[in-house]
Amino acid sequence: DMNLIGRNAEYDNSSTLLVEEIQFVSPYNVTTVNKELDRNDLGPDQIEVESLCSLVSSGTELKIFKGTFESASLDVNIKGMADESMEYPLAYGYSLVGRVVACGC
């Protein structure tokens, strides 16, 4: 799920994961939104990644940050992205360094 990328989390032994979602709110305006995720929802082909470092890509994400994304299109080849719209607020991210902390079963 692309919406799980680029967030920091508080890790403990509970089934609830507290995360900060990075959102592009308007040109040159980025914020975080606190969310709770259920670790039990991790599917058999999914992993949970602890984000250590993230960046804004020099292509689509930079256009979103600058507000020039009319010419940028979402990658409809990525599962779950075909119905995503390019309008603010937008949670978008895929470039990060992370550590796998759980695997679905």
Side-chain angles (χ1 to χ4, degrees):
D1 183 347
M2 288 301 292
N3 290 336
L4 298 180
I5 294 177
R7 291 156 178 116
N8 295 320
E10 294 179 19
Y11 290 90
D12 59 25
N13 292 326
S14 74
S15 64
T16 301
L17 182 63
L18 304 174
V19 299
E20 288 183 275
E21 178 180 80
I22 297 170
Q23 286 192 357
F24 296 89
V25 179
S26 61
Y28 299 97
N29 186 5
V30 179
T31 190
T32 58
V33 175
N34 294 322
K35 291 191 172 188
E36 290 186 6
L37 301 176
D38 186 346
R39 283 190 167 123
N40 297 322
D41 289 342
L42 194 62
D45 296 328
Q46 295 179 322
I47 59 173
E48 181 182 323
V49 177
E50 175 187 6
S51 176
L52 302 174
C53 179
S54 183
L55 59 89
V56 172
S57 73
S58 61
T60 304
E61 288 180 316
L62 187 56
K63 288 180 180 181
I64 294 168
F65 177 72
K66 290 181 174 182
T68 60
F69 59 84
E70 319 52 69
S71 61
S73 60
L74 291 176
D75 190 342
V76 295
N77 296 312
I78 298 173
K79 185 179 179 180
M81 297 277 304
D83 295 329
E84 293 288 324
S85 62
M86 293 289 283
E87 58 188 42
Y88 297 114
L90 180 62
Y92 191 84
Y94 58 86
S95 299
L96 68 84
V97 174
R99 176 178 332 170
V100 175
V101 294
C103 295
C105 43

